[in-house]
Amino acid sequence: MRVTNLTNAGIGDPSRKLGEPQDLRDLMSFQLRQLSNLYTKNTASVYLRKFSLTMNEWRVIALINTAGELSLNRLAAQAQFDKGLTSRIVVKLNERGFVARQPDPSDARGVALSLTDQGKALVDEVFPEAVKLNKQLQSCLTKSERDLLAVALQKLTHQARAMLDQERENDQGE
């Protein structure tokens, strides 16, 4: 496994001082986005090569699998996709035999989505690969660092939600 030198990646440069951010690269939001983009490019390539799935298709399948049954609107919200993109992905997955569509019993105009047996079998194939890639990413961390990171990410996610809620309130007040 090739590990990139952190200094070459623009992270951990000894000439850069710790403390207050000096430029964009020092902001946590930039660093998290960089990590997410790199990891997504890698996993997307693996899923496409091994399973003929795009990252968005896998996300939709995995979310439906977790829920058992999901409306298109809830799926779009959970995937953080707009409804149009979600609908196009679902149509493709339905055509490929992975996703079933039924009338939503709680909304006469809505659609309830679930996985077909073929979709469930695909999850059984893909999910172990997702776990393997996740472990590979975290392999550079000790167990205590992994545990601390999980707690830190939960706290940061909670804080980001609170900040977004506050911004929405501020935006409505103006």
Side-chain angles (χ1 to χ4, degrees), residues 111-123:
V111 175
L113 305 168
S114 60
L115 293 185
T116 63
D117 288 343
Q118 186 179 347
K120 292 174 186 174
L122 184 62
V123 169

Side-chain angles (χ1 to χ4, degrees), residues 41-60:
K41 285 178 185 177
N42 178 64
T43 54
S45 176
V46 170
Y47 296 154
L48 194 57
R49 179 174 43 83
K50 288 188 170 186
F51 308 107
S52 298
L53 283 176
T54 68
M55 181 59 81
N56 288 350
E57 290 169 340
W58 167 241
R59 185 176 290 173
V60 163

Side-chain angles (χ1 to χ4, degrees), residues 16 59 126 145:
R16 299 176 61 75
R59 185 176 290 173
V126 179
E145 288 171 332

Side-chain angles (χ1 to χ4, degrees), residues 8-44:
N8 292 344
I11 301 169
D13 183 342
S15 68
R16 299 176 61 75
K17 295 181 181 167
L18 294 176
E20 285 298 311
Q22 302 298 310
D23 65 42
L24 178 70
R25 297 170 299 167
D26 297 332
L27 298 176
M28 181 183 301
S29 59
F30 179 82
Q31 293 171 6
L32 289 172
R33 180 69 176 229
Q34 186 176 37
L35 169 62
S36 177
N37 286 344
L38 289 168
Y39 185 70
T40 297
K41 285 178 185 177
N42 178 64
T43 54

Side-chain angles (χ1 to χ4, degrees), residues 24-168:
L24 178 70
R25 297 170 299 167
D26 297 332
L27 298 176
M28 181 183 301
S29 59
F30 179 82
Q31 293 171 6
L32 289 172
R33 180 69 176 229
Q34 186 176 37
L35 169 62
S36 177
N37 286 344
L38 289 168
Y39 185 70
T40 297
K41 285 178 185 177
N42 178 64
T43 54
S45 176
V46 170
Y47 296 154
L48 194 57
R49 179 174 43 83
K50 288 188 170 186
F51 308 107
S52 298
L53 283 176
T54 68
M55 181 59 81
N56 288 350
E57 290 169 340
W58 167 241
R59 185 176 290 173
V60 163
I61 288 171
L63 288 170
I64 295 171
N65 183 65
T66 298
E69 188 173 277
L70 209 52
S71 73
L72 187 66
N73 288 337
R74 286 197 50 88
L75 175 60
Q78 288 183 17
Q80 298 183 349
F81 297 154
D82 66 59
K83 191 175 171 185
L85 173 62
T86 307
S87 180
R88 289 188 298 276
I89 293 168
V90 166
V91 166
K92 287 181 186 176
L93 293 172
N94 178 259
E95 289 170 354
R96 292 174 64 189
F98 298 128
V99 172
R101 301 166 49 111
Q102 302 88 24
D104 189 339
S106 63
D107 178 3
R109 297 175 301 160
V111 175
L113 305 168
S114 60
L115 293 185
T116 63
D117 288 343
Q118 186 179 347
K120 292 174 186 174
L122 184 62
V123 169
D124 290 343
E125 274 187 78
V126 179
F127 193 73
E129 186 69 29
V131 170
K132 178 180 143 193
L133 291 166
N134 191 62
K135 284 181 181 177
Q136 186 178 4
L137 176 65
Q138 295 184 35
S139 68
C140 63
L141 302 174
T142 64
K143 174 157 180 8
S144 61
E145 288 171 332
R146 289 190 304 272
D147 293 344
L148 182 60
L149 178 61
V151 170
L153 288 173
Q154 286 176 349
K155 287 181 174 183
L156 289 168
T157 300
H158 178 77
Q159 181 67 10
R161 279 193 184 112
M163 291 168 64
L164 178 59
D165 290 345
Q166 183 63 53
E167 178 55 27
R168 286 177 175 160

